[in-house]
Amino acid sequence: MESIIGYFENKSILVTGATGFLGKIFVEKILRLQPNIKKLYVLIRASDSNSALQRLHSEVIGKDLFRVITQKHGTNIHIFISEKITPVAGDIGLEDFGVTNMELLNEIRSQVDIVVNSAATTNFDERYDVAFTINTLGAKNVSKFVNECSNIKLLLHVSTAYVWGEKSGIILETPFKIGETLNGENNLNIKEEQRKILERHSELVIEKANEKAISSFMKDFGIQRANLHGWPNTYSFTKAMGEMLLLEELREDVPLVVLRPTIITSTYKEPFPGWIEGVKTIDSFIVAYGKGRTSTFLGEPSNVLDLIPADMVINAMLVAIVIRRHEPYSRTVYHVGSSMSNPLKIASIWKYIFGYFATHPLINRQGNPIQTTGKVLMLRSMSSFNRYMSIRYLIPLKVAEYANKILLGAFNAWYFKADREIKIILRLAFLYKPYGLVNMIFDDANLIKLLYIIKEYFKDEMETFFLDTKSIDWECYFMNIHIPGLVKHVLSTRVQK
């Protein structure tokens, strides 16, 4: 069998979501390992080609992530990038991605070998219209585009393991059936969901609601529709519907890989350890604790929280492409996570977080170390969380509200700020509760098969495409890689308390 790296020589790949966290790591690894790739067509949301090119350089190539490639090519880096990457201005929410340059569109259709769809909005409570357009209709538009590609070898779609919502126990690598719901009730009609979105939006416009009111309504509407069918949030709901449409729309002879990563964290090894962008799921709690802003966590300490370093997700994507491209009519789901092979308990995570900031405190603007709150109080159910919030915040806030009225609004600014922050905390707790309160173990049988194939047929590339989650030392990873990377790449060295 040919090498994994060798397969990508002289290949053309269309990548959506390249300005996102996973997308740019995918682009970086392809360019670093296989400089003889023919072309990367990168779909970027932009009004024109110049804007797309500007976003490519400012949001992708210009990132510290690309420093290894930049050092390798030196002054020729811009020539190399212009030869290998063609930015495509468009919008995944539109048919043919809204691309009006027919010459470029036909070129992609005739040349592309692989399509990688990593475009997504990952906000748990995104506006329903926005999430539906990107996560659901986007998947449909990608599959319809792939159907028109004459040289296509495979479509890889990046989803999320949490499309199964709050399901506990061992979760298998099985695809969805069209119209399937998590609660077994209210048969899901995706066209009807789209109709409801358009109908509600039109009603709000007729009522002359401002953009803030429309946004607020659409966020609540998304949660409402997700809950109706058994999903905990808009993100997982719209991603599940996207998977359904892929299976319904995609040409049968085109191999499909649906990659479902769990909670993605900073890079483990490549291109260097600890690279991360933005505050991910678990990172919001790490940051809040490091800044001394939280002393509680909603979660069962003995539960497993499934984390996976970003570069291991990319390795799974690349190996799956090479392995599955020869299997027309195949539909394969991969869970890319650690809970089955190397489970990490919530109690251990907080032990590492506490240990790190005890010896490496963040520094405030005055140059002083920020004192954390010490050991974290674990709230093991929503009822205990609600009791804690009532005693600690809601009752005092009610007293403050009463006092504020007596004093004719003397504390208005303080009261409304506190009220707003508490509502945010309550909403976040509602959105994140599945991750801390439900013990999910994601079956990774298909991922293990990939690992076996690498060991059997690609021994020389085992380190390049490492997939063995058992080899991760979680304490070392948190203490020496992930939290330092989060502090370096996301937080300033001097953090305002």
Side-chain angles (χ1 to χ4, degrees):
M1 296 178 71
E2 63 194 307
S3 71
I4 298 170
I5 296 172
Y7 171 73
F8 292 99
E9 184 173 358
N10 205 35
K11 294 294 188 298
S12 293
I13 304 175
L14 169 64
V15 183
T16 72
T19 58
F21 178 54
L22 266 188
K24 63 187 65 170
I25 300 176
F26 180 88
V27 169
E28 191 278 338
K29 183 146 190 170
I30 283 283
L31 292 176
R32 176 164 46 84
L33 292 185
Q34 186 47 275
N36 293 322
I37 193 164
K38 184 177 181 180
K39 185 70 72 174
L40 284 177
Y41 296 99
V42 177
L43 181 67
I44 297 176
R45 189 173 186 179
S47 57
D48 54 51
S49 57
N50 287 334
S51 299
L53 182 63
Q54 185 176 5
R55 284 196 67 192
L56 173 69
H57 284 280
S58 63
E59 298 179 33
V60 183
I61 306 303
K63 295 294 182 179
D64 187 46
L65 174 71
F66 283 78
R67 73 172 184 235
V68 176
I69 293 178
T70 301
Q71 290 168 358
K72 177 182 178 181
H73 291 276
T75 55
N76 294 321
I77 182 62
H78 293 295
I79 296 173
F80 174 71
I81 294 300
S82 64
E83 288 177 349
K84 299 300 176 181
I85 300 183
T86 296
V88 181
D91 187 335
I92 196 170
L94 303 173
E95 283 198 28
D96 290 333
F97 312 129
V99 177
T100 56
N101 184 338
M102 292 307 298
E103 184 179 347
L104 175 59
L105 205 59
N106 290 331
E107 176 187 325
I108 299 171
R109 285 176 179 147
S110 64
Q111 295 295 318
V112 73
D113 298 281
I114 306 293
V115 173
V116 174
N117 179 32
S118 65
T121 174
T122 58
N123 295 331
F124 286 7
D125 64 340
E126 180 64 87
R127 287 177 50 152
Y128 192 27
D129 52 346
V130 172
F132 188 88
T133 298
I134 298 172
N135 295 344
T136 305
L137 292 183
K140 178 180 180 179
N141 292 332
V142 167
S143 62
K144 289 177 71 175
F145 185 82
V146 167
N147 291 345
E148 298 172 353
C149 294
S150 57
N151 197 40
I152 192 70
K153 308 294 190 304
L154 179 141
L155 166 61
L156 186 145
H157 173 74
V158 180
S159 185
T160 170
Y162 295 97
V163 287
W164 288 109
E166 298 175 289
K167 186 178 180 180
S168 61
I170 297 176
I171 301 169
L172 301 179
E173 296 167 303
T174 52
F176 278 105
K177 297 174 183 176
I178 190 72
E180 183 176 356
T181 63
L182 295 188
N183 56 15
E185 303 171 3
N186 307 307
N187 189 47
L188 174 60
N189 185 321
I190 298 176
K191 288 183 179 179
E192 181 65 12
E193 291 300 312
Q194 184 177 16
R195 187 193 67 77
K196 285 182 179 293
I197 291 171
L198 295 173
E199 180 181 78
R200 295 299 173 87
H201 192 276
S202 296
E203 289 172 356
L204 290 167
V205 171
I206 291 171
E207 293 168 6
K208 296 183 179 180
N210 59 31
E211 191 58 30
K212 184 178 180 181
I214 293 174
S215 178
S216 178
F217 175 86
M218 281 296 172
K219 285 185 177 184
D220 291 339
F221 190 45
I223 297 293
Q224 176 192 332
R225 299 304 300 177
N227 292 169
L228 176 67
H229 296 295
W231 278 270
N233 54 61
T234 308
Y235 168 58
S236 58
F237 179 42
T238 53
K239 289 297 284 184
M241 288 192 289
E243 285 193 23
M244 294 176 197
L245 289 183
L246 271 178
L247 293 167
E248 184 179 52
E249 297 285 341
L250 186 63
R251 221 170 70 198
E252 288 186 359
D253 63 309
V254 178
L256 170 65
V257 168
V258 176
L259 203 89
R260 293 177 181 165
T262 54
I263 298 172
I264 304 173
T265 53
S266 61
T267 54
Y268 185 54
K269 291 183 180 180
E270 293 188 357
F272 46 84
W275 189 80
I276 192 169
E277 185 176 59
V279 176
K280 310 303 174 190
T281 309
I282 186 65
D283 300 327
S284 58
F285 299 101
I286 296 175
V287 170
Y289 180 80
K291 290 183 176 181
R293 291 177 177 171
T294 186
S295 59
T296 60
F297 181 79
L298 178 61
E300 168 56 53
S302 63
N303 280 357
V304 170
L305 195 62
D306 197 315
L307 308 180
I308 187 73
D311 46 341
M312 297 184 81
V313 178
I314 301 303
N315 292 339
M317 292 168 66
L318 293 169
V319 176
I321 288 171
V322 175
I323 299 305
R324 292 294 178 183
R325 76 191 193 280
H326 285 314
E327 301 177 7
Y329 304 97
S330 66
R331 303 289 185 261
T332 312
V333 175
Y334 290 93
H335 283 156
V336 185
S338 59
S339 55
M340 181 66 83
S341 299
N342 190 3
L344 174 64
K345 293 184 178 181
I346 290 174
S348 297
I349 295 174
W350 277 107
K351 175 186 173 185
Y352 306 149
I353 295 171
F354 174 76
Y356 181 84
F357 287 111
T359 54
H360 304 85
L362 297 177
I363 306 299
N364 63 21
R365 284 186 175 179
Q366 290 71 42
N368 301 316
I370 296 175
Q371 296 296 316
T372 63
T373 53
K375 292 292 178 70
V376 172
L377 174 63
M378 305 296 287
L379 302 171
R380 303 182 181 205
S381 66
M382 280 304 295
S383 58
S384 64
F385 173 79
N386 290 332
R387 282 196 302 272
Y388 175 83
M389 289 298 295
S390 294
I391 296 169
R392 184 74 182 268
Y393 297 107
L394 297 178
I395 293 174
L397 190 66
K398 278 292 181 185
V399 174
E401 180 186 18
Y402 181 70
N404 191 44
K405 287 179 179 178
I406 293 176
L407 296 173
L408 303 177
F411 303 112
N412 265 348
W414 177 90
Y415 170 76
F416 287 117
K417 181 174 183 292
D419 183 57
R420 184 173 62 252
E421 289 180 350
I422 289 171
K423 286 177 179 175
I424 290 172
I425 291 171
L426 292 171
R427 189 176 184 90
L428 287 175
F430 175 76
L431 292 171
Y432 282 102
K433 67 177 180 177
Y435 304 90
L437 296 178
V438 183
N439 201 37
M440 304 179 189
I441 307 296
F442 295 98
D443 176 42
D444 59 357
N446 287 333
L447 185 68
I448 296 301
K449 289 177 185 176
L450 288 187
L451 181 59
Y452 171 79
I453 290 171
I454 295 174
K455 289 179 178 178
E456 192 72 15
Y457 300 105
F458 305 104
K459 286 184 180 179
D460 293 342
E461 296 180 290
M462 280 184 63
E463 281 301 308
T464 305
F465 298 97
F466 52 96
L467 288 173
D468 188 4
T469 56
K470 287 182 180 178
S471 67
I472 301 174
D473 180 331
W474 287 116
E475 182 173 8
C476 177
Y477 174 71
F478 269 89
M479 299 293 283
N480 301 320
I481 297 175
H482 183 65
I483 302 180
L486 184 64
V487 172
K488 178 181 179 181
H489 297 289
V490 179
L491 299 173
S492 170
T493 53
R494 289 179 178 267
V495 183
Q496 181 183 11
K497 187 173 179 180

